[in-house]
């Protein structure tokens, strides 16, 4: 039999009332329905029927008389307690027999109402019991939600690709997920209770512990980039967040950490930096090449405008002179003018050949290889000494000077430098020429030194200009193109060239090879 319906107070509470006296059962049932309209009321007329309803309906609160046919209230309560140990039972009886009280207490029943029933006392007892039932129900629901939340959190942490861990204030691991355990090469259960010094190399452990202490000291989460030597001996990079965990009083009780493997990202960043550096270097090289091309073009135009003008003007002058001689039939001076015409033509051809060589040099791509500059210089000097016959020449050459450069261009470079050294020292009783290397500021500097005529350093800025001569052609012959050629070869190797000299004491040409 069911009575009542759910309302506000005690919603969802089932009450079972067992009483063999119909009048008492109906009267109290009516009172309970009015007092607890929000509850579902079940009634039974004996203990056997009451226990059956209890097994079927699982009531939250049971009110029962003691003396009933077929199965008394204490017997029913005993069977209910076996089925539902936490069942709340209130005894309502006209008997206060000590035997019944002792049996009720032994069953865990501590609520006993005597007949005739004091409804206010009964209602107060029932309300107290319902409050306890509601509180217990809410506690169980809260515990269920807490358990589900914990399971969800554990599931998220365990399935996370990032390493997640918790340490105590001494640095011992209290919890690690699978991702964090994989970083160590150990199982998670093996790590619990260990600190970083028992797991990682000392330098790695020291850094990790220092970061733990920084997080504790700050009281807030802090981000770090940490390094770790993995199981393969390779360095791995991790973006790590570490922070403190507090208790209810705000005291720090442990630290947490979340570490994301950013090794691939770091490698990608390194590659980008490398590519950017290479791109920047290529831009610098192309800018330098463009600037060099512009300088060479300016020098080329300057050489054309200045070096070709004089031979052409002489050709024009002698041509005019020959024309006038023919016109007046004065043939006596024509052989002289023709000789001068030939000389001027040869000068023009030499200047043109020099300009063409410089032009081809600007278009030449260098092919780098290891070159023994000392051996190369030795071979060039042997070839040059054949041109100077029986002159006394002392040649000092440092062995095994290995450089990176274009062999053909460096041969041309040393041919010009050593040729100049021989030429400008030709008026000395003995030519003393040396090829060597020295270090300045960590940079290799190569040099060719002679004891020749030297020059005034006030004119050093003109030394490497095409067709620029610091000595009169009658003193030392030449085209004035040799050192200009050398400068272009050195610049093609991204090097620098300069000279130091004293008049009548000799000259030293220094150069570097940037490549």
């Amino acid at each position: 039999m069911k009575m009542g319906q759910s309302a506000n107070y005690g919603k969802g509470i089932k009450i079972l009332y067992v009483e063999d006296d119909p009048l008492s059962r109906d009267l109290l049932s009516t009172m309970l329905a009015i007092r607890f309209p929000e509850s579902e009321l079940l009634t039974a007329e004996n203990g056997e029927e009451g226990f059956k309803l209890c097994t079927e309906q699982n009531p939250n609160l049971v009110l029962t008389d003691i003396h009933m046919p077929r199965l008394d209230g204490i017997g029913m309560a005993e069977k209910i307690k076996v089925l539902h140990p936490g069942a709340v039972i209130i005894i309502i009886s006209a008997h206060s027999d000590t035997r019944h009280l002792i049996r009720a207490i032994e069953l865990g029943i501590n609520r006993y109402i005597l007949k005739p029933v004091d409804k206010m006392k009964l209602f107060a007892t029932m309300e107290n019991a319902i409050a306890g039932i509601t509180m217990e129900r809410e506690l169980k629901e809260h515990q269920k939600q807490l358990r589900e939340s914990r399971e969800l959190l554990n599931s998220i942490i365990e399935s996370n690709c990032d390493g997640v861990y918790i340490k105590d204030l001494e640095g011992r691991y209290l919890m690690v997920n699978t991702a964090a355990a994989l970083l160590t090469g150990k199982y998670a259960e093996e790590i619990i209770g260990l600190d970083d010094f028992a797991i990682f190399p000392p330098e790695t452990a020291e850094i990790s512990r220092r970061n733990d202490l920084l997080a504790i000291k700050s009281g807030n989460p802090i981000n770090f980039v940490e390094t770790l030597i993995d199981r393969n001996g390779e360095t791995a990079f991790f973006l790590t967040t570490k922070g403190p965990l507090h208790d209810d009083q705000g005291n720090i009780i442990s630290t947490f950490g979340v570490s994301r493997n950013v090794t691939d990202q770091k490698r990608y960043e390194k590659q980008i930096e490398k590519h950017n550096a290479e791109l920047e270097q290529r831009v610098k090289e192309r800018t330098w090449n463009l600037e060099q091309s512009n300088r060479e073009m300016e020098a080329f135009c300057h050489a054309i405008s200045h070096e070709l003008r004089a031979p052409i003007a002489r050709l024009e002058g002698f041509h005019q002179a020959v024309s006038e001689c023919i016109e007046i039939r004065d043939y006596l001076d024509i052989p002289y003018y023709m000789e001068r015409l030939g000389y001027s033509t040869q000068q023009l051809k030499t200047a043109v050949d020099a300009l063409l060589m410089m032009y081809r040099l600007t278009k030449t791509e260098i092919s780098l290889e290891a070159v023994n500059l000392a051996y190369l210089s030795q071979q060039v000097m042997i070839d040059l000494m054949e041109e100077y016959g029986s002159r006394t020449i002392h040649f000092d050459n440092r062995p095994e000077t290995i450089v990176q450069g274009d062999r053909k261009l460096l041969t041309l470079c040393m041919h010009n430098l050593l040729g100049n050294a021989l030429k400008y020292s030709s008026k000395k009783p003995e030519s003393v020429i040396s090829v060597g290397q020295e270090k300045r500021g960590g940079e290799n500097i190569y040099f060719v030194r002679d004891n020749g005529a030297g020059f005034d350093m006030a004119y050093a800025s003109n030394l490497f200009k095409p067709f620029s001569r610091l000595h009169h052609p009658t003193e030392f012959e030449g085209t004035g193109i040799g050192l200009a050629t050398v400068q272009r070869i050195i610049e093609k190797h991204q090097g620098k060239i300069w000279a130091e000299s004293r008049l009548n004491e000799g000259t030293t040409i220094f150069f570097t090879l940037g490549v």
Side-chain angles (χ1 to χ4, degrees):
M1 177 179 179
K2 299 181 182 180
M3 300 180 62
Q5 58 183 354
S6 298
N8 295 321
Y9 184 79
K11 184 178 180 180
I13 298 295
K14 288 183 180 180
I15 301 174
L16 172 61
Y17 175 37
V18 184
E19 172 62 62
D20 62 331
D21 180 31
L23 182 61
S24 297
R25 185 173 64 248
D26 291 341
L27 178 61
L28 188 55
S29 295
T30 301
M31 294 169 58
L32 293 174
I34 295 172
R35 183 65 178 183
F36 302 103
E38 72 285 355
S39 300
E40 181 180 357
L41 181 62
L42 311 173
T43 61
E45 59 186 26
N46 57 63
E48 189 176 275
E49 184 181 341
F51 178 70
K52 182 180 179 182
L53 275 175
C54 190
T55 58
E56 294 173 353
Q57 298 294 329
N58 191 21
N60 307 104
L61 178 61
V62 178
L63 308 177
T64 182
D65 190 12
I66 292 180
H67 293 286
M68 293 180 295
R70 302 172 68 174
L71 182 63
D72 65 18
I74 297 297
M76 181 192 70
E78 187 173 6
K79 295 181 70 174
I80 290 174
K81 282 290 186 178
V82 173
L83 187 64
H84 300 296
V88 179
I89 301 174
I90 299 176
I91 299 294
I92 301 176
S93 177
H95 303 276
S96 57
D97 192 325
T98 302
R99 290 184 301 106
H100 297 314
L101 290 175
I102 292 174
R103 286 187 63 194
I105 292 172
E106 289 175 347
L107 292 174
I109 301 171
N110 55 10
R111 296 179 176 88
Y112 203 101
I113 303 297
L114 292 176
K115 293 180 180 180
V117 175
D118 182 341
K119 67 176 183 177
M120 298 308 296
K121 184 177 181 181
L122 174 62
F123 292 159
T125 302
M126 291 181 64
E127 288 172 356
N128 183 53
I130 290 173
I133 292 170
T134 302
M135 184 179 297
E136 183 178 0
R137 177 184 291 176
E138 290 175 350
L139 178 61
K140 287 182 178 180
E141 181 64 25
H142 177 70
Q143 290 174 337
K144 178 185 176 183
Q145 292 176 356
L146 184 62
R147 184 173 60 256
E148 291 174 349
S149 297
R150 184 180 293 110
E151 290 175 354
L152 177 61
L153 179 60
N154 288 337
S155 176
I156 293 173
I157 291 174
E158 187 59 28
S159 61
N160 201 321
C161 295
D162 297 337
V164 181
Y165 46 87
I166 297 175
K167 303 177 185 177
D168 64 18
L169 297 182
E170 300 301 320
R172 293 182 291 263
Y173 285 92
L174 302 176
M175 184 280 292
V176 292
N177 68 346
T178 300
L182 286 174
L183 301 178
T184 68
K186 299 179 181 293
Y187 292 106
E189 54 269 23
E190 295 178 300
I191 299 172
I192 303 303
L194 300 179
D195 62 13
D196 289 319
F197 291 93
I199 301 173
F200 300 112
E203 60 275 11
T204 301
E206 185 64 36
I207 293 173
S208 179
R209 182 56 181 161
R210 184 167 64 247
N211 291 341
D212 290 345
L213 295 176
L214 284 174
I216 293 172
K217 183 178 180 180
S218 71
N220 296 295
I222 303 178
N223 295 321
F224 307 93
V225 175
E226 296 183 319
T227 58
L228 170 68
I229 307 300
D230 63 18
R231 289 172 294 174
N232 300 320
E234 297 182 357
T235 300
F237 297 90
F238 293 88
L239 179 60
T240 298
T241 299
K242 291 185 175 182
L245 295 174
H246 302 81
D247 61 14
D248 294 339
Q249 287 73 42
N251 300 313
I252 297 176
I253 57 173
S254 57
T255 62
F256 74 90
V258 180
S259 296
R260 172 166 296 181
N261 193 326
V262 293
T263 304
D264 291 340
Q265 178 182 339
K266 285 290 182 182
R267 289 173 180 166
Y268 182 64
E269 289 175 357
K270 288 289 185 183
Q271 291 177 352
I272 291 178
E273 290 176 2
K274 180 181 177 182
H275 291 159
N276 287 341
E278 291 174 351
L279 179 60
E280 185 177 352
Q281 181 61 30
R282 287 198 295 269
V283 170
K284 288 181 179 179
E285 290 175 358
R286 290 178 181 177
T287 301
W288 183 89
N289 289 334
L290 179 60
E291 292 174 348
Q292 182 64 16
S293 296
N294 288 336
R295 288 194 298 268
E296 291 173 348
M297 182 62 69
E298 290 175 3
F300 192 74
C301 293
H302 175 82
I304 291 176
S305 63
H306 288 77
E307 297 304 318
L308 298 185
R309 182 176 297 172
I312 291 174
R314 284 194 291 271
L315 285 174
E316 289 178 343
F318 291 128
H319 175 267
Q320 181 67 30
V322 171
S323 297
E324 291 176 356
C325 286
I326 293 174
E327 185 178 350
I328 63 174
R329 300 180 182 274
D330 181 6
Y331 303 110
L332 185 62
D333 293 330
I334 287 180
Y336 170 75
Y337 292 141
M338 294 301 295
E339 181 184 352
R340 301 309 298 169
L341 274 170
Y343 178 75
S344 297
T345 301
Q346 186 61 41
Q347 279 189 316
L348 181 60
K349 181 179 180 300
T350 300
V352 170
D353 289 343
L355 289 171
L356 289 175
M357 186 190 70
M358 288 180 60
Y359 176 76
R360 286 194 295 268
L361 188 60
T362 61
K363 299 300 180 182
T364 301
E365 293 293 333
I366 65 174
S367 177
L368 296 179
E369 60 179 300
V371 177
N372 188 333
L373 192 62
Y375 178 78
L376 186 149
S377 300
Q378 185 75 32
Q379 295 304 308
V380 169
M381 180 58 80
I382 291 173
D383 294 338
L384 288 171
M385 288 173 68
E386 293 179 358
E387 301 177 13
Y388 286 88
S390 60
R391 275 182 54 191
T392 303
I393 300 172
H394 177 75
F395 182 53
D396 181 18
N397 187 24
R398 173 175 294 188
E400 296 298 324
T401 304
I402 307 300
V403 300
Q404 287 291 321
D406 186 295
R407 184 179 298 276
K408 291 182 178 180
L409 292 180
L410 289 179
T411 300
L412 178 59
C413 172
M414 297 310 295
H415 189 280
N416 279 289
L417 290 177
L418 291 173
N420 275 359
L422 284 169
K423 177 172 64 176
Y424 291 110
S425 64
S426 61
K427 296 185 179 181
K428 297 286 186 176
E430 178 185 23
S431 294
V432 179
I433 300 170
S434 59
V435 175
Q437 174 187 355
E438 60 186 46
K439 272 193 177 290
R440 294 184 188 177
E443 185 177 26
N444 288 323
I445 298 176
Y446 311 97
F447 63 84
V448 176
R449 180 175 291 125
D450 65 63
N451 66 333
F455 61 88
D456 189 342
M457 287 295 290
Y459 302 103
S461 60
N462 297 324
L463 187 63
F464 299 102
K465 291 181 179 179
F467 304 105
S468 178
R469 302 175 185 87
L470 301 186
H471 298 275
H472 196 275
T474 59
E475 187 179 6
F476 297 103
E477 64 178 17
T479 62
I481 204 71
L483 288 179
T485 301
V486 170
Q487 183 186 47
R488 279 153 179 75
I489 292 173
I490 297 303
E491 288 178 344
K492 272 194 168 292
H493 288 76
Q494 298 179 23
K496 298 174 292 184
I497 185 168
W498 67 97
E500 294 178 4
S501 182
R502 287 188 178 183
L503 199 60
N504 297 318
E505 294 185 15
T507 300
T508 304
I509 304 294
F510 297 94
F511 63 93
T512 63
L513 298 172
V515 294

